[in-house]
Amino acid sequence: MEEIKKQDVKAFAYFDQINKEKLAASHDGGWRCGILTTNMSECINGVLKGAHRLPVSALVEITLERTVHYFRVQAIKGKKMLQNNQLWTDFACKMFISWQQKAVEHTVTKYSHAQQSASVVTRRQNRHGMNTHVVKIANRECSCGKWNQFGIPCSHAKKVCGAYNISAASMVKDYYDLMAYNNTYSKHFEPVQSEDYWDDPNFQLVHDPTIRTVTRPGRNQNNTHS
Ligand SMILES: [Zn+2]
């Protein structure tokens, strides 16, 4: 916030009046995982790309068609990951290994065995590094915030796990587990018959051209995700 204040006082005043719990993942106490929420909405946006402006019936059809396709593709991916003997999804595996490699360069000082706490100093690389982070394994937290944000022990947490002889792999959130992933995408959809077999709706759709939106030159703001 101090950095924003230096850049623009008006912007600072705007952000300052907003509840910080809603503004930043670092202030929400871990209740809402910002990354997951964003990914979920981006995922839906990605699947329905280009469908926002279609008539209702076409929108429903394309939503079903693309969702069925998406589930089939993810189910195939899930099977491949299982065949590769992976414990978690590709994303989690990649992040876990990358942080494991980074942990080698950290220096750890143990503090409390009860809290399994320690300070971790990162190695200076170019002009970065030489930071000190505080890890409390018993609380599943690191001051860098990444563990809480991603649900995967960060490089600092991994270093401390090693010092206390604890398995960092056992602390990866279970929603990355391949069994959970495959369980999600193993569900199936029922094919839909032609319109002649649908139940009669108890209302009539009326086309009213007067309520069509007026198009303006330039990029439409409603199409930011399409
Ligand atoms: Zn950390």
Side-chain angles (χ1 to χ4, degrees):
M1 288 294 281
E2 286 308 310
E3 200 52 46
I4 294 173
K5 198 176 183 176
K6 269 188 236 166
Q7 299 282 329
D8 191 326
V9 180
K10 275 189 190 168
F12 171 78
Y14 174 76
F15 285 122
D16 198 42
Q17 59 164 351
I18 300 172
N19 187 343
K20 288 187 182 56
E21 278 180 28
K22 292 175 182 164
L23 184 70
S26 56
H27 286 76
D28 75 358
W31 288 105
R32 291 183 299 273
C33 182
I35 301 297
L36 274 185
T37 312
T38 314
N39 275 354
M40 193 55 77
S41 56
E42 287 302 325
C43 171
I44 293 167
N45 262 332
V47 172
L48 299 179
K49 209 169 184 179
H52 303 80
R53 295 268 168 177
L54 290 174
V56 176
S57 54
L59 182 67
V60 171
E61 275 178 35
I62 206 167
T63 302
L64 176 65
E65 194 183 292
R66 288 191 185 175
T67 307
V68 170
H69 176 73
Y70 183 78
F71 267 63
R72 279 184 46 232
V73 170
Q74 298 307 313
I76 293 167
K77 262 192 200 172
K79 273 184 194 159
K80 272 189 190 163
M81 290 190 278
L82 263 185
Q83 283 164 2
N84 290 342
N85 294 321
Q86 287 179 213
L87 281 176
W88 313 296
T89 59
D90 286 344
F91 172 83
C93 283
K94 211 170 152 186
M95 194 165 270
F96 188 87
I97 291 166
S98 151
W99 281 344
Q100 197 160 35
Q101 289 164 346
K102 222 171 164 188
V104 178
E105 298 167 351
H106 301 337
T107 310
V108 64
T109 306
K110 292 202 269 185
Y111 275 71
S112 156
H113 215 279
Q115 280 192 314
Q116 294 159 328
S117 63
S119 66
V120 178
V121 180
T122 61
R123 201 181 73 170
R124 180 182 283 278
Q125 279 180 327
N126 301 324
R127 282 184 297 164
H128 302 287
M130 281 301 278
N131 292 318
T132 303
H133 289 290
V134 174
V135 177
K136 291 177 182 170
I137 300 288
N139 298 351
R140 305 281 196 270
E141 64 181 31
C142 173
S143 58
C144 79
K146 287 178 187 165
W147 189 359
N148 182 260
Q149 203 166 18
F150 292 98
I152 298 168
C154 57
S155 61
H156 321 112
K158 281 208 172 64
K159 190 73 185 180
V160 179
C161 280
Y164 285 108
N165 210 15
I166 298 164
S167 160
S170 68
M171 275 173 274
V172 174
K173 286 277 188 188
D174 53 10
Y175 47 69
Y176 289 119
D177 194 289
L178 265 194
M179 298 311 284
Y181 183 92
N182 282 323
N183 193 30
T184 301
Y185 293 110
S186 65
K187 311 300 176 202
H188 66 274
F189 293 85
E190 288 296 331
V192 180
Q193 283 185 296
S194 78
E195 223 173 305
D196 301 339
Y197 293 89
W198 297 3
D199 291 337
D200 277 334
N202 56 358
F203 58 89
Q204 198 182 354
L205 273 180
V206 180
H207 174 59
D208 182 357
T210 60
I211 55 172
R212 289 179 69 174
T213 52
V214 180
T215 51
R216 296 182 184 87
R219 192 174 182 208
N220 194 318
Q221 289 196 343
N222 289 335
N223 284 340
T224 36
H225 297 291
S226 58

